[in-house]
Amino acid sequence: MQFLIVRKADNDSEAGVKPSRELIDAMGEYIDTLAAEGRLLAGEGLKPSSSGVRVTFAPGRKAVTVDGPFAEAKELVAGFSIIEAASMEEAVEWVKGWPAEDANGHAEIEIRPIGCPGGLSGFGNPSEEESPKPRYMVMLKANERSETDWNPGPEILGRMSEANRAGHDAGFLIAGHGLASSRHAKRVTFGKGKPTVFDGPFAEIKEMVAGFWVLRVDGIEDVIAWAESYPFPDGDDARLEIRELWRMEDLIPA
């Protein structure tokens, strides 16, 4: 099974504070086992929401954008990993070992099973960096319908699959995955480095993510133009958040 490991934002991540050498070393040691086993499939940090946008749609699919920063810092995404694990329990046990050097031992992590409730296959690797162009994560925000693990049906799923294939073949759409609802999720919060596990579902529906795509394009305007034509399952009611991914050389000095 594949799981999305979401590191929630905090004041430091929203301020763009770079990781310390101690955190870099601790995180490297932490992920070594998964990486060596080939079970760490991706790992990315998101730039602060001050450089992002939120998108809704007016009639005719015209994008209406709101620039960041966004106020809900604790519910924003600061970074994510994709891992392979035999079960949710195994994923939780791995997250319980999260380095105490992160967030001074007070990190909050959400664990979501990857998989579109309608059966649409995910594709690609968000960590693919074969081009100097920036990468952007497009997060489809959840709603009451997606939280029921709603299946939009073969017509909508077929249009989504066709759009995914076309973007991937064109080289700019490098990954896309659906997520199970938060009732299948877990949250691990740390106090002074000690973990506490909470079961879903979670109440903050508007800030949760129902699925995501990663694009490699020249700029955020290209992402918005793509979003205006993409057949999201919610149609004109779709709500998106677009955030640029950090490049490794931005975070770690040579």
Side-chain angles (χ1 to χ4, degrees):
M1 299 176 65
Q2 292 185 1
F3 295 89
L4 184 72
I5 310 299
V6 178
R7 200 285 203 178
K8 292 299 189 74
D10 55 24
N11 291 336
D12 282 351
S13 66
E14 276 293 278
V17 175
K18 305 293 179 64
S20 66
R21 172 54 61 183
E22 290 75 18
L23 175 56
I24 292 170
D25 291 344
M27 189 62 74
E29 182 177 348
Y30 172 64
I31 67 175
D32 269 353
T33 300
L34 277 182
E37 296 173 356
R39 296 196 293 133
L40 179 70
L41 306 182
E44 297 294 338
L46 276 65
K47 292 187 176 182
S49 70
S50 58
S51 62
V53 300
R54 286 184 171 171
V55 178
T56 55
F57 296 99
R61 289 303 296 276
K62 178 65 177 177
V64 179
T65 61
V66 176
D67 295 335
F70 308 121
E72 311 85 354
K74 290 185 178 179
E75 296 305 322
L76 297 174
V77 177
F80 68 93
S81 303
I82 298 176
I83 70 168
E84 288 271 6
S87 64
M88 172 63 80
E89 290 71 24
E90 183 176 285
V92 168
E93 287 304 310
W94 183 72
V95 170
K96 283 182 178 179
W98 200 265
E101 289 82 357
D102 188 19
N104 297 312
H106 291 83
E108 181 172 334
I109 313 295
E110 188 169 297
I111 308 169
R112 300 281 299 278
I114 288 179
C116 169
L120 182 66
S121 298
F123 65 93
N125 185 344
S127 296
E128 180 184 332
E129 288 195 57
E130 296 180 354
S131 166
K133 291 183 178 181
R135 293 167 301 147
Y136 295 87
M137 186 176 191
V138 178
M139 292 173 276
L140 176 64
K141 291 302 187 77
N143 56 30
E144 292 182 358
R145 187 165 61 179
S146 68
E147 277 293 282
T148 67
D149 289 312
W150 172 64
N151 183 342
E155 182 179 346
I156 293 176
L157 292 172
R159 291 201 299 267
M160 293 174 66
S161 178
E162 183 178 346
N164 289 345
R165 187 181 306 109
H168 194 54
D169 289 347
F172 68 86
L173 186 60
I174 61 176
H177 292 278
L179 300 176
S181 68
S182 73
R183 67 189 177 96
H184 305 286
K186 304 280 188 183
R187 279 183 181 168
V188 182
T189 63
F190 291 85
K192 297 181 179 180
K194 295 182 178 180
T196 302
V197 181
F198 297 92
D199 297 331
F202 306 119
E204 309 86 355
I205 291 177
K206 289 185 177 181
E207 297 308 321
M208 289 189 294
V209 180
F212 69 92
W213 296 259
V214 177
L215 286 76
R216 183 177 54 210
V217 290
D218 291 324
I220 200 166
E221 296 81 6
D222 296 325
V223 185
I224 295 170
W226 169 84
E228 287 181 320
S229 64
Y230 188 85
F232 295 105
D234 294 315
D236 290 352
D237 294 327
R239 298 180 302 112
L240 312 174
E241 183 172 315
I242 303 172
R243 303 269 297 282
E244 186 176 352
L245 302 183
W246 287 109
R247 295 181 65 87
M248 190 61 68
E249 55 263 34
D250 296 330
L251 293 173
I252 302 176

